[in-house]
Amino acid sequence: MKEINKGDVFTLPAKFVTQEMICRYADAAEDHNPLHVDPEFAKTTRYEGTIAHGMLGVAFIQELLVRTFGREWLESGKIEVSFMAPVRPGDAVSVEAKIINVVPVEGDEHRKNIQIRMFCENSRQEKVIKGQAAVTISQ
């Protein structure tokens, strides 16, 4: 893994969200809330159409963090998110993560605690998810 420094930015190319993707996620999560899978019902709600499960967007964040930190993310990563706006079919969702702090682990000069701020943004440049994460890595 390349050296990680405060200020480094990592991105995930935009993922195009489709109704089919949302329905496949519903099957995998066993969450068939009509707000996600029934366009006719969803039109009658305040959202005026289907929206993706919030955790689908979090899966995009997780993909970026695994690509960036690999096994160390899987072993020590922690994440907190806030959902800001719905993700809709037709949205292209991008992810950005910025390293906000790098702190050596006390007593182990080869390990560092990394603090990360990240967000998902739709094609209208609206933040749909924001959050923070932490991971311990060897460098």
Side-chain angles (χ1 to χ4, degrees):
M1 175 186 306
K2 80 175 196 88
E3 186 163 339
I4 303 291
N5 296 294
K6 183 176 179 178
D8 287 352
V9 174
F10 301 92
T11 60
L12 185 69
K15 301 271 190 180
F16 188 73
V17 177
T18 65
Q19 185 62 51
E20 180 185 352
M21 180 187 288
I22 294 169
C23 289
R24 283 185 301 173
Y25 187 89
D27 289 343
E30 296 184 359
D31 178 358
H32 295 93
N33 181 323
L35 183 58
H36 304 302
V37 299
D38 183 344
E40 292 306 313
F41 168 81
K43 283 181 195 174
T44 69
T45 71
R46 68 182 174 128
Y47 297 105
E48 301 176 344
T50 58
I51 62 173
H53 301 73
M55 294 306 289
L56 178 60
V58 174
F60 300 156
I61 293 171
Q62 291 277 17
E63 180 181 347
L64 174 61
L65 295 171
V66 169
R67 284 184 181 194
T68 304
F69 299 106
R71 186 173 188 93
E72 291 173 309
W73 173 255
L74 299 172
E75 292 173 349
S76 70
K78 296 178 182 152
I79 188 171
E80 292 179 22
V81 299
S82 297
F83 299 100
M84 311 301 294
V87 172
R88 301 176 179 282
D91 281 350
V93 177
S94 59
V95 181
E96 180 176 299
K98 182 175 183 178
I99 306 303
I100 58 170
N101 209 1
V102 178
V103 179
V105 172
E106 191 173 324
D108 188 344
E109 64 187 57
H110 300 291
R111 294 178 50 79
K112 295 183 177 155
N113 291 319
I114 309 296
Q115 294 175 330
I116 308 151
R117 197 169 286 138
M118 69 271 172
F119 64 86
C120 289
E121 189 174 81
N122 65 22
S123 42
R124 294 174 300 286
Q125 298 181 334
E126 300 167 326
K127 296 220 178 1
V128 295
I129 301 174
K130 68 177 184 175
Q132 54 199 15
V135 63
T136 301
I137 64 169
S138 298
Q139 277 194 304

